[in-house]
């Protein structure tokens, strides 16, 4: 299982939110490129970047910071989410050196857009499904829909999606542990690889995800834990590697 460090961008700074609330943020750095280098040096094999302002605006806002990171680390696979609502944005990010674009809100509002994007940019599209008590949330988590996560995920089975990033909003940034049960249930319900997100706090959470009753959780995103020091990123990846052998 791949451990992916998260860099959440708000107003050009690296922050972490609690349960997705923009007003409940902690600023960790005003130098995103430097933060990216920290995780590259720690052995990260992919970076997860989120344009938080973009998620609310519906278009890229922290694009400069994302492009600067991609330029500084051209050999590092990067996945980006937040405000990606059209093919032009995907194309621009890929040209800037981003590897994967995560479609969230637009995937919920217009599932056919995902299929078109996968056809136009094969191998570069990930769908992000964020859930509160099993129901999908959109627009920077500000709106909870009546769509159930697993049901929606199944709609993308034949689209060519590289992965589903599944985030439990109630756990995100709260340091309460990931929702292993719900993540496992989703992973077993679809053939698309699932990336776990939200709530990872310590090395025990990595072990729990690796030992989950599924082979389809292929990666996990971690944010607040590696910034606050409750999880050593390098040790977490080392454990994940050992348990995956």
């Amino acid at each position: 299982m791949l451990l992916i460090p998260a860099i959440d961008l708000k107003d050009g700074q690296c922050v972490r939110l609690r349960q997705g609330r923009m007003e409940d943020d902690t600023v960790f750095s005003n130098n995103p490129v430097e933060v990216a280098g920290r995780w590259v040096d720690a052995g990260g094999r992919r970076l997860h970047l989120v344009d938080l302002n973009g998620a609310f605006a519906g278009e890229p806002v922290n694009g400069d910071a994302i492009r600067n990171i991609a330029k500084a680390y051209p050999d590092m696979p990067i996945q980006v989410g937040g405000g990606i609502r059209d093919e032009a944005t995907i194309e621009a990010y890929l040209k800037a050196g981003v590897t994967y674009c995560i479609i969230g809100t637009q995937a919920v509002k217009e599932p056919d857009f995902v299929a078109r994007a996968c056809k136009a940019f094969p191998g570069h599209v990930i769908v992000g499904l964020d859930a509160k008590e099993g129901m999908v949330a959109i627009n920077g988590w500000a709106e909870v829909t009546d769509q159930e996560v697993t049901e929606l995920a199944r709609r993308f089975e034949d689209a060519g999606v590289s992965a589903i990033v599944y985030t439990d909003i109630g756990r995100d940034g709260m340091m309460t542990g990931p929702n292993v049960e719900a993540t496992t249930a989703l992973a077993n319900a679809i053939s698309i690889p699932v990336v776990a997100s939200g709530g990872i706090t310590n090395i025990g959470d990595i072990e729990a995800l690796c030992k989950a009753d599924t082979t389809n959780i292929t990666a996990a995103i971690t944010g607040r834990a590696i910034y606050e020091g409750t999880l050593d990123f390098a040790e977490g990846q080392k454990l994940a590697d050992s348990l995956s052998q």
Side-chain angles (χ1 to χ4, degrees):
M1 187 179 77
L2 183 67
L3 197 58
I4 309 175
I7 300 176
D8 289 358
L9 300 164
K10 177 186 175 187
D11 304 330
Q13 298 178 312
C14 297
V15 307
R16 291 301 297 170
L17 306 184
R18 295 182 189 276
Q19 298 181 323
R21 296 190 295 266
M22 286 288 273
E23 70 279 5
D24 192 357
D25 65 330
T26 303
V27 177
F28 286 100
S29 173
N30 59 7
N31 190 331
V33 173
E34 187 177 89
V35 171
R38 174 180 172 184
W39 305 128
V40 171
D41 292 343
R45 299 170 199 164
R46 186 188 296 189
L47 298 177
H48 176 77
L49 310 184
V50 181
D51 183 345
L52 294 172
N53 301 102
F56 284 91
E59 61 184 10
V61 176
N62 290 283
D64 287 344
I66 292 167
R67 285 187 289 271
N68 289 339
I69 291 172
K71 183 178 181 180
Y73 303 100
D75 298 325
M76 173 61 64
I78 294 172
Q79 60 188 46
V80 172
I84 299 175
R85 308 286 170 88
D86 54 46
E87 290 184 23
T89 299
I90 297 173
E91 183 175 14
Y93 272 138
L94 296 182
K95 284 184 176 179
V98 168
T99 313
Y100 303 99
C101 285
I102 303 170
I103 304 174
T105 294
Q106 199 65 19
V108 181
K109 289 184 172 180
E110 189 185 353
D112 289 344
F113 170 69
V114 174
R116 295 197 304 271
C118 288
K119 187 174 181 179
F121 311 101
H124 295 287
V125 175
I126 291 173
V127 166
L129 296 180
D130 309 319
K132 186 172 185 179
E133 298 178 358
M135 307 307 288
V136 176
I138 59 175
N139 294 325
W141 302 352
E143 178 186 344
V144 179
T145 71
D146 59 358
Q147 297 196 59
E148 198 269 331
V149 169
T150 301
E151 182 180 321
L152 183 58
R154 288 192 177 117
R155 296 191 61 177
F156 305 117
E157 285 277 19
D158 300 319
V161 172
S162 295
I164 298 282
V165 174
Y166 171 66
T167 304
D168 186 310
I169 296 173
R171 306 291 183 102
D172 191 72
M174 298 303 290
M175 307 284 280
T176 55
N179 192 333
V180 178
E181 182 179 354
T183 307
T184 300
L186 175 63
N188 284 330
I190 60 175
S191 59
I192 306 167
V194 171
V195 178
S197 175
I200 290 177
T201 305
N202 53 44
I203 200 87
D205 294 332
I206 304 302
E207 183 176 11
L209 285 167
C210 288
K211 292 184 175 181
D213 188 22
T214 180
T215 59
N216 205 29
I217 299 176
T218 59
I221 295 167
T222 177
R224 185 176 289 274
I226 57 174
Y227 289 96
E228 295 191 353
T230 62
L231 172 65
D232 181 286
F233 177 82
E235 288 300 312
Q237 184 62 74
K238 183 179 178 180
L239 175 66
D241 288 342
S242 69
L243 293 175
S244 301
Q245 293 176 351

